Amino acid sequence: MSSLRLEIEQSMGLKFPEKNGAALVKFEESLEIPRAAEALMRGLYRDPERVRQGFKRLHQETGSMIELLMPRRSRLREWSDALPERPKDAEAFLKETTDQLLVKEQRLVQAGRDLLGQLQESGLEDIFPVSLSAFGVCSYREPSVKLYLKPLGRFAEINQINPDSLRQAVRVHFLCLLLIIAGEDLDGQVFARGVEEEATNWLTTLYTIRYLKRQSAELAHGYLEWVKAWGGKIPNQTMLNDRVCEKTRAAMIFWRRHLNISWAECWHIVSQFESESAHDLEIN
């Protein structure tokens, strides 16, 4: 984890505060299942109990038909070897069996149709987006992260993503997040911006994508799918070129140092300054 932390610090131009030469950052991976992840862990069902009852009913109707047929099979086998002595008895037997089968078949078919309808009502759109806190939580004071491995594994299973790659990508995300909210600038000053989820998550996603794209396509793909899962905004491609990234970094530093100015205002100020600098160059 320490080597990953150093790589991310270098990629962002920020660093975690240190004490006695050790970074003040706590990173914990937990097997807990947080409340925010309960729907994800239950599966892709709008009403799991109703679906469970549907399977139970279908199982009962299937069993009922088998119970009707099983004792009659031996008599039918006998009659296939030697015809019944009294045709009228065989006729009554077959009529009774057929009538009962028709009733049970109708009930079985209806149970199957009802269950199929319940399954078709369930889908990914009923689960996602989930809260980001289903996968991990940050403490802005320590700083620290608790990563929830079971919900991450469940998400990887559903989306057929390599779970190890996904965990690696999510570690990068949360380390970038911690740096943005509690890291030191190059001059050694610490600026704790506080909880501004939309801007902070967008910046975190931007820096994480930049880092992962230099690592592997697999990491980047799994990460983007995960961001969509909790409703994060994915930066457009132009935000990833070097020139715009420098502008983003300048705006981020300005934003972190001026707690009373929003991200949109900081971006506008930096953009305006950039335009004025370009104009001065043209004049000169």
Side-chain angles (χ1 to χ4, degrees), residues 7 18 42 96-98 110 127 149 151 156 161 210 225 252-253 259:
E7 287 179 23
E18 294 184 354
R42 279 201 306 267
E96 178 191 6
T97 301
T98 301
Q110 189 58 51
I127 295 292
L149 297 181
I161 297 170
R210 283 193 68 200
E225 291 301 312
M252 182 183 71
I253 298 300
L259 305 185

Side-chain angles (χ1 to χ4, degrees), residues 195-205 230 232-233 255 263:
V195 183
E196 292 178 61
E197 289 188 358
E198 186 173 358
T200 305
N201 286 336
W202 185 85
L203 281 166
T204 301
T205 302
W230 51 265
K233 293 182 179 179
W255 174 72
W263 167 255

Side-chain angles (χ1 to χ4, degrees), residues 52-71:
R52 190 178 295 110
Q53 289 301 319
F55 276 111
K56 183 177 180 180
R57 178 184 163 204
L58 186 62
H59 178 262
Q60 289 171 340
E61 296 299 343
T62 304
S64 176
M65 184 169 280
I66 292 170
E67 286 172 5
L68 172 68
L69 287 172
M70 286 302 289

Side-chain angles (χ1 to χ4, degrees), residues 40 44 124 128 135 151-162 166 221-222 225-226 228-229:
L40 176 67
L44 310 178
L124 289 172
F128 302 114
F135 303 106
L152 278 174
R154 173 68 176 150
F155 176 79
E157 176 189 8
I158 290 171
N159 289 274
Q160 298 182 327
I161 297 170
N162 183 308
L166 181 63
H221 168 73
E225 291 301 312
W226 176 73
K228 294 174 192 174

Side-chain angles (χ1 to χ4, degrees), residues 127-273:
I127 295 292
F128 302 114
V130 298
S131 169
L132 179 57
S133 60
F135 303 106
V137 291
C138 272
S139 168
Y140 300 131
R141 295 180 180 178
E142 296 186 45
S144 68
V145 167
K146 179 183 279 190
L147 205 62
Y148 298 116
L149 297 181
K150 286 187 176 180
L152 278 174
R154 173 68 176 150
F155 176 79
E157 176 189 8
I158 290 171
N159 289 274
Q160 298 182 327
I161 297 170
N162 183 308
D164 293 330
S165 296
L166 181 63
R167 282 196 295 270
Q168 177 76 351
V170 174
R171 288 185 191 110
V172 173
H173 175 93
F174 278 105
L175 283 170
C176 289
L177 175 59
L178 283 180
L179 274 174
I180 289 172
I181 61 178
E184 290 182 355
D185 286 341
L186 296 178
D187 59 8
Q189 295 187 63
V190 178
F191 297 93
R193 179 77 194 195
V195 183
E196 292 178 61
E197 289 188 358
E198 186 173 358
T200 305
N201 286 336
W202 185 85
L203 281 166
T204 301
T205 302
L206 175 62
Y207 278 101
T208 304
I209 292 172
R210 283 193 68 200
Y211 176 85
L212 294 177
K213 277 187 173 292
R214 296 196 298 268
Q215 307 303 312
S216 77
E218 182 184 32
L219 282 171
H221 168 73
Y223 176 71
L224 290 174
E225 291 301 312
W226 176 73
V227 170
K228 294 174 192 174
W230 51 265
K233 293 182 179 179
I234 296 175
N236 59 49
Q237 196 62 34
T238 58
M239 295 301 300
L240 300 175
N241 70 53
D242 291 339
R243 182 173 173 275
V244 177
C245 283
E246 285 302 317
K247 178 181 171 182
T248 305
R249 172 166 167 71
M252 182 183 71
I253 298 300
F254 190 72
W255 174 72
R256 294 178 79 237
R257 290 173 182 251
H258 296 84
L259 305 185
N260 59 331
I261 304 179
S262 70
W263 167 255
E265 291 173 302
C266 291
W267 183 259
H268 176 72
I269 291 168
V270 171
S271 299
Q272 193 174 38
F273 178 76

